[in-house]
Structure formats: structure tokens, C-alpha cells
Amino acid sequence: MTSKNNLPIYWSPDYVLDGGVETRTKSGPLAQILMDGEIPGVDLITPRPITREELLVVHGEQYIERLVNGERPELTRSIFASTGGVRDALDAMFVHGKAGSLSSGLHHAKRDHDEGFCYINGLALAALRAISKHGVRKIAVLDTDAHCGGGTFQLVGENENVVLADVSCNSYDIWRPNSDRHFLEVVNSANEYLDSVKRALKHIEHVDALIYNAGMDPFEDCSTGGMPGITREVLAERERLVAQWCEDTKTPAMFVLAGGYGGPKLDLDGVSRLHLPTIREFARIRITPKSKN
Ligand SMILES: [Zn+2]
């Protein structure tokens, strides 16, 4: 049960099956922090796994068959659980105004193959579901992972109902904007970072709902993606800006976790804790969905 105004967050122990990379393992310690009650106003909910049919909306049949019948059944189960969490968070956002899933590893996944630790593009899946099931006319995907979201662009970049905004600090998986619905900036220094985020928020104004890929790998101590000068304080301010924008514009929003990797100065618990500001800010805000008319 979710109390009124609480933030529904989807997670199950299946998310961390087939560990290995932080993309999957970091949600375990993070869920424990939430179960311990460190952030008030959060409800942790077990999602329904995604189905094969739902995946075929964004991915090719042969790729999904390979995934289902692959040699890593725990990886498959983890992906189905965490993608189900993305879908359930999307649906919950239209009820509560805000929601999240501790899913990670979405934006590089292409139609017919995995890439960069990403297997299923839950961002594209959620955007298409917002349009087909919830009647949304303009859905935004805001991506602040350190790397570019070329998978999302491949899958929904041509969809006229989808507005893309991507703030990166590394050109991996870069894509080429070809419409006024597209915003992409790869920043070269930490000084430019928050201004780029503000421009991205300006770009998505007037959308009906937001899917937020809240990547923490721009953090300077992340071994993959980190940029010197992007501190915990900068990322906390970024999350405040995004969440406050949602509240001020009355835009229903959901988040997923995206990148965040360890390094010599950052262990798994530290990676998990990098994501707390996103949850804290979304727990804080109140969003009364605006009328569609
Ligand atoms: Zn990344």
C-alpha cells in the first residue's frame, strides 16, 4: 500500500541477481538504506516482471529470444524484474505524480543488441507506454548519465510524441539531434554542467510527463564517466533543480538510476549512496498532475 504523497519506489531482490557490475548490484545496498528508513516518505514496492510481449514493443524478436533462452538465467530474471519496475513506476507516476525504480542500465540498449551494460531500453519502453496506455501527447526523456543515450535516440528519436534531452560529459554513444525535439550537450568542464542541465529543463518545458534517467557517473570519483569538479554537492543541486522543475511545472515524473560506478575512492556502498539525493528530492516534492485539457 502506498500512502498519499509518499514516493512509490519499485525494487525486488531479483534486481541484484547475476551481480558483477554496479549497474545491478548497487540497488541492493540502496534498497536496504530505504528499508532502514533513512529517507522518510518512501514506499518500497515489488514490481511485476515485464513480459516478453511488452519487450517486443521496443526490441527485435530474435534478440529477446536470445535473452530469454540465454545461458545466464539469473541475468534474464534480473532484467525482467528491473524492467517491470520501470513499467510499474511509469504507471504509478500517473497516479501519484511521482515514482521511481531502482533500475539501471537502460539507455545504451539498441533494438537488436545490448551495449554498455544495458540490455533493455526501459526509457524507450516507458515513453511508448506513456503514449499508448496513458494518452500522453508529449513525453520527455531527460538523461543526465555521464554518457550519451544513443540507444534511446535510436528507438524513439523519430517519435513525434517524444522529447529528448541529454546532458553528458563523455561522448560515448553520442547521437546527432535532427529535430527541434532533440537536445544534446556534451559538457567539457564542471563549470558548465549545471547551466547545461538548466538548458535541458528549458528544452522540455510544456511536456506532459517526464522520464528521468538519473545518472550519477558524472561524479568525479567514478572511474567510468567521472569529471573532475562534479562533486556530490553539484549532483545534489542537479537533483534539486530537476525535482523542483517537476513541482513548479506540475509535471508528473518518474526516475530510474542509470550510471554510477566505483573507483579507487568509491566502494559499492558509496556508489549506492550517490543516488540518495535523487530519492530525497523526489520524496520532498508534491506534484498534482495538471489537466490534459
Ligand atoms: Zn554512463
Side-chain angles (χ1 to χ4, degrees), residues 107-108 145-148 217 224-225 258-261:
H107 70 158
H108 301 312
D145 187 275
H147 308 93
C148 305
D217 48 357
T224 303
Y261 303 97

Short mmCIF file of all heavy atoms in Angstrom, two decimals, residues 107-108 145-148 217 224-225 258-261, ligand 1:
data_model
loop_
_atom_site.label_atom_id
_atom_site.label_comp_id
_atom_site.label_asym_id
_atom_site.label_seq_id
_atom_site.Cartn_x
_atom_site.Cartn_y
_atom_site.Cartn_z
N HIS A 107 19.93 3.05 -21.16
CA HIS A 107 19.93 3.98 -22.29
C HIS A 107 20.84 3.64 -23.47
O HIS A 107 20.70 4.22 -24.53
CB HIS A 107 20.19 5.42 -21.82
CG HIS A 107 21.58 5.69 -21.33
ND1 HIS A 107 22.11 6.95 -21.28
CD2 HIS A 107 22.54 4.84 -20.86
CE1 HIS A 107 23.34 6.89 -20.79
NE2 HIS A 107 23.62 5.63 -20.53
N HIS A 108 21.77 2.70 -23.30
CA HIS A 108 22.60 2.30 -24.46
C HIS A 108 21.98 1.13 -25.23
O HIS A 108 22.44 0.83 -26.34
CB HIS A 108 24.01 1.89 -24.02
CG HIS A 108 24.77 2.97 -23.30
ND1 HIS A 108 24.86 4.26 -23.78
CD2 HIS A 108 25.47 2.95 -22.13
CE1 HIS A 108 25.59 4.98 -22.94
NE2 HIS A 108 25.96 4.22 -21.93
N ASP A 145 22.93 10.83 -17.32
CA ASP A 145 24.06 9.92 -17.22
C ASP A 145 25.28 10.58 -17.87
O ASP A 145 25.13 11.39 -18.79
CB ASP A 145 23.72 8.60 -17.92
CG ASP A 145 24.77 7.53 -17.71
OD1 ASP A 145 25.77 7.52 -18.48
OD2 ASP A 145 24.60 6.71 -16.80
N ALA A 146 26.49 10.22 -17.41
CA ALA A 146 27.70 10.83 -17.97
C ALA A 146 27.83 10.57 -19.47
O ALA A 146 28.39 11.38 -20.20
CB ALA A 146 28.93 10.28 -17.25
N HIS A 147 27.31 9.42 -19.90
CA HIS A 147 27.44 9.03 -21.31
C HIS A 147 26.15 9.36 -22.06
O HIS A 147 25.10 9.53 -21.46
CB HIS A 147 27.74 7.52 -21.38
CG HIS A 147 28.92 7.13 -20.52
ND1 HIS A 147 28.76 6.69 -19.21
CD2 HIS A 147 30.24 7.17 -20.76
CE1 HIS A 147 29.96 6.45 -18.68
NE2 HIS A 147 30.88 6.74 -19.61
N CYS A 148 26.25 9.43 -23.38
CA CYS A 148 25.08 9.81 -24.18
C CYS A 148 24.12 8.62 -24.33
O CYS A 148 24.53 7.47 -24.26
CB CYS A 148 25.53 10.28 -25.56
SG CYS A 148 26.73 11.63 -25.51
N ASP A 217 27.14 8.86 -12.70
CA ASP A 217 28.54 8.64 -13.10
C ASP A 217 29.29 9.89 -13.53
O ASP A 217 30.53 9.83 -13.68
CB ASP A 217 28.68 7.51 -14.15
CG ASP A 217 27.73 7.61 -15.32
OD1 ASP A 217 26.88 8.52 -15.32
OD2 ASP A 217 27.84 6.76 -16.23
N THR A 224 34.40 5.41 -14.29
CA THR A 224 33.85 5.45 -15.64
C THR A 224 32.91 6.63 -15.74
O THR A 224 31.89 6.65 -15.06
CB THR A 224 33.07 4.14 -15.94
OG1 THR A 224 33.96 3.05 -15.76
CG2 THR A 224 32.54 4.14 -17.36
N GLY A 225 33.29 7.62 -16.53
CA GLY A 225 32.39 8.75 -16.73
C GLY A 225 32.68 9.97 -15.88
O GLY A 225 32.29 11.07 -16.22
N ALA A 258 20.37 4.81 -13.64
CA ALA A 258 21.48 5.00 -14.59
C ALA A 258 22.86 4.90 -13.91
O ALA A 258 22.96 4.45 -12.78
CB ALA A 258 21.35 6.32 -15.34
N GLY A 259 23.90 5.35 -14.64
CA GLY A 259 25.28 5.07 -14.26
C GLY A 259 25.68 5.57 -12.89
O GLY A 259 25.09 6.49 -12.32
N GLY A 260 26.73 4.99 -12.41
CA GLY A 260 27.30 5.23 -11.10
C GLY A 260 28.22 4.04 -10.87
O GLY A 260 27.73 2.91 -10.77
N TYR A 261 29.52 4.28 -10.87
CA TYR A 261 30.47 3.18 -10.82
C TYR A 261 31.51 3.45 -9.75
O TYR A 261 31.81 4.60 -9.46
CB TYR A 261 31.16 2.99 -12.18
CG TYR A 261 30.17 2.75 -13.28
CD1 TYR A 261 29.75 3.80 -14.09
CD2 TYR A 261 29.62 1.49 -13.48
CE1 TYR A 261 28.81 3.59 -15.09
CE2 TYR A 261 28.68 1.27 -14.48
CZ TYR A 261 28.28 2.34 -15.28
OH TYR A 261 27.35 2.15 -16.26
ZN ZN B 1 27.10 6.17 -18.01
#
